[in-house]
Amino acid sequence: MKKIQVLFVFLLSTVATDAQSLHLGNCPQPPVQEDFNVTEYMGTWYEIEKLPALFERGKCVQATYSPLADGTVRVYNAELLSNGKINSIEGVARVKDPSQPAKLGVSFFKGVPDGPYWVLATDYQSYSLVYSCSDYLRLFHIDFAWILARTRDLPEDLVSRLHDDLAAAGVNVNRLKVTNQTGCDVMI
Ligand SMILES: *[C@@H]1O[C@H](CO)[C@@H](O)[C@H](O)[C@H]1NC(C)=O
Ligand SMILES: *[C@@H]1O[C@H](CO)[C@@H](O)[C@H](O)[C@H]1NC(C)=O
C-alpha cells in the first residue's frame, strides 16, 4: 500500500507540473539509432528543445558525458538559473543491454531506478534526438524528449526533420519548448 501511495504522490506532482506528458496506454517503441557508438557520443551537448521536464527550469541547459573506468558514463548536467547561479547535477548512464546500445539508462540518485535515455537519431557531430518514456501500472505512460546539439543552436531545417522523427514516434511536437541558449557565457 505504501509503495502505491508514494507512486501516486509522484504522479500527482508530475501531472500537476506537466499534464501534457501523461498519456493513456503503454510507451511507444520508436526505432533508435542503428549501430550506436557511445564513445563517439561523449562530450558536451546543448539542449535546443525539450518536452518539459520538472528537473530542468533554467536556461543554457547542457549535458556533458564522459567515460568512466567501469564502462559506464558520467553525466554532468548544468543550467543557468534566473538568479545567475549555475545549477548542476551528476549522474551515471549505462547501456543496459549490449545488443541495444542506443537504449541507455540514466540515474541521478543512488537507489532510484534508471530513467530511460533512448537515442533515436544522432550523427554524433551536430545533433541528437533523445526520447524517454516510462510505463505506470500498465495504464498510462509519461514521456520526455530532447533535441540536443553540439552547438547552442541548430539550423531550422534540421530541427524540423527531428520534429518529423518525433512525430513518427507518436510525440506531439507542439509540446516541445525551445531552450534559451543566449547569454550563456558564464557556462563552461
Ligand atoms: C566507436 O567509436 C570509437 C571512436 O571513434 C572507435 O574507436 C570504435 O572503434 C567505435 N566502435 C565501434 C564498435 O565501431
Ligand atoms: C534569453 O535570455 C536572454 C539573456 O538572458 C534574454 O535577454 C532573452 O530575453 C531570453 N529569451 C527568451 C525568449 O526568453
Side-chain angles (χ1 to χ4, degrees):
M1 202 61 202
K2 263 237 168 78
K3 248 188 187 159
I4 295 281
Q5 281 165 358
V6 169
L7 177 65
F8 276 112
V9 169
F10 165 73
L11 285 174
L12 282 176
S13 60
T14 307
V15 171
T17 311
D18 180 25
Q20 291 179 316
S21 289
L22 187 132
H23 314 277
L24 283 177
N26 288 335
C27 285
Q29 302 290 319
V32 295
Q33 177 62 48
E34 275 179 45
D35 302 321
F36 179 70
N37 186 327
V38 73
T39 307
E40 293 190 36
Y41 198 74
M42 296 298 95
T44 298
W45 290 95
Y46 302 100
E47 183 184 277
I48 304 300
E49 294 186 2
K50 70 169 164 221
L51 285 188
L54 55 147
F55 45 87
E56 286 170 10
R57 57 220 147 78
K59 45 176 278 184
C60 308
V61 182
Q62 60 188 65
T64 301
Y65 305 121
S66 41
L68 293 170
D70 64 356
T72 62
V73 173
R74 175 180 178 259
V75 177
Y76 179 79
N77 287 352
E79 62 179 359
L80 185 59
L81 301 178
S82 53
N83 63 8
K85 290 215 166 79
I86 293 172
N87 187 30
S88 67
I89 187 167
E90 225 183 293
V92 174
R94 53 175 61 83
V95 173
K96 305 185 81 167
D97 173 359
S99 73
Q100 304 209 67
K103 295 183 176 178
L104 293 98
V106 180
S107 172
F108 289 102
F109 306 101
K110 273 218 163 67
V112 174
D114 287 5
Y117 182 113
W118 290 14
V119 181
L120 300 191
T122 185
D123 65 353
Y124 306 98
Q125 281 148 42
S126 54
Y127 70 89
S128 176
L129 182 61
V130 178
Y131 183 65
S132 177
C133 185
S134 299
D135 289 316
Y136 293 92
L137 304 174
R138 294 168 164 266
L139 280 177
F140 51 91
H141 63 274
I142 293 175
D143 63 359
F144 301 99
W146 294 266
I147 292 175
L148 306 176
R150 290 298 195 185
T151 48
R152 290 194 192 273
D153 65 328
L154 261 191
E156 259 331 287
D157 56 336
L158 185 47
V159 171
S160 134
R161 215 185 79 208
L162 296 174
H163 283 179
D164 292 346
D165 288 355
L166 271 182
V171 173
N172 179 358
V173 294
N174 297 323
R175 296 157 55 216
L176 286 165
K177 249 194 205 151
V178 174
T179 303
N180 192 339
Q181 289 286 0
T182 61
C184 301
D185 293 350
V186 296
M187 306 294 282
I188 306 145

